[in-house]
Amino acid sequence: ERAAKRPRVSQLSTGLRPELHFRELELEEVSWAGRGDGQRLSAHADSAHNLYVSDTTQIVRFARDGTQQVVASDIEPHHIVPNSTADAVLILRKSDKQKLSKITPDGSVTTILETSLPLYGPDVCRNGDVVHHPSTTRLERRNSPSGEVVASIEGGQGKFVSFKANSYLASGQDGHVYFSSKTCVYRWNLDEQTVECIAGHPKASGRR
């Protein structure tokens, strides 16, 4: 029988391959009073590896040693938003997704932006602007706290760019905005006002 071909392994790629090590922690017990049946928890990790977890009405911080502390309680129902602001927790009002707020490690709550329309997949840029996608084929950047649209771009079938944003947006340290679809990771270049696929294989044709 013909011997099976052995896959080629690059010594360089093998040396650069990261090793993941997991360690189970014993966490202090928390009473999630606001969590009903089927209610999901949301979470965010800061640069010091603390984990902030919300049950929609309170936020608890778990330290690296497993100890916990209630950071904020009796907040209007919300979800923690994955974000690029490492040392602050962003929350989005659960009922209508029209209010984005920031919670600092000391528990103070500040409204970043409140609009008359829902904010889908929002993130906060370095200058405080908020980016989100009001639809899967449109991206917006809004001034905070006025809510004025300062930049936007549309894509989709037949447009000069083709994309579908169905994830949270991520504001990068380079000033650009990143998001993903099912098959591709995209970058919204705010300087050139283009959206390009930087990883993956987009199904639809368009400028990349």
Side-chain angles (χ1 to χ4, degrees):
E1 293 184 1
R2 200 172 179 183
K5 291 184 178 180
R6 298 180 62 183
R8 295 181 179 179
V9 179
S10 167
Q11 293 183 352
L12 177 62
S13 62
T14 302
L16 296 176
R17 187 175 299 162
E19 293 185 7
L20 300 178
H21 300 277
F22 297 93
R23 180 167 56 94
E24 187 173 345
L25 292 177
E26 291 187 7
L27 302 178
E28 293 183 355
E29 187 174 349
V30 178
S31 175
W32 300 108
R35 190 184 184 203
D37 293 337
Q39 183 66 54
R40 295 182 179 179
L41 300 174
S42 53
H44 170 70
D46 66 14
S47 60
H49 305 289
N50 297 307
L51 181 66
Y52 295 81
V53 181
S54 170
D55 66 349
T56 74
T57 60
Q58 70 172 341
I59 296 177
V60 178
R61 178 175 61 231
F62 292 93
R64 297 182 67 177
D65 61 1
T67 58
Q68 57 90 0
Q69 178 184 358
V70 176
V71 175
S73 59
D74 297 325
I75 314 172
E76 61 182 342
H78 64 274
H79 291 298
I80 292 179
V81 176
N83 68 92
S84 305
T85 311
D87 293 322
V89 179
L90 297 187
I91 61 173
L92 188 64
R93 187 161 60 196
K94 181 181 176 183
S95 60
D96 56 13
K97 295 182 172 61
Q98 294 178 3
K99 183 178 180 181
L100 184 68
S101 303
K102 177 176 70 174
I103 298 180
T104 55
D106 63 2
S108 61
V109 182
T110 305
T111 299
I112 298 175
L113 180 63
E114 188 167 6
T115 66
S116 59
L117 297 173
L119 296 167
Y120 293 110
D123 197 9
V124 178
C125 303
R126 289 180 297 174
N127 68 344
D129 287 352
V130 174
V131 290
H132 80 121
H133 55 88
S135 70
T136 58
T137 58
R138 178 178 171 85
L139 309 177
E140 285 184 350
R141 181 168 180 159
R142 290 178 174 265
N143 175 266
S144 172
S146 71
E148 177 187 359
V149 177
V150 295
S152 65
I153 194 166
E154 292 192 31
Q157 193 69 33
K159 299 289 185 178
F160 70 98
V161 289
S162 181
F163 64 85
K164 283 194 174 181
N166 53 16
S167 70
Y168 283 100
L169 304 186
S171 176
Q173 295 298 314
D174 56 3
H176 304 314
V177 176
Y178 296 83
F179 62 95
S180 70
S181 71
K182 294 181 180 179
T183 60
C184 189
V185 176
Y186 293 92
R187 175 173 57 208
W188 178 16
N189 187 319
L190 290 161
D191 298 328
E192 300 179 4
Q193 279 298 293
T194 58
V195 173
E196 56 185 339
C197 174
I198 59 173
H201 304 282
K203 292 182 178 179
S205 60
R207 184 175 177 180
R208 301 176 188 175

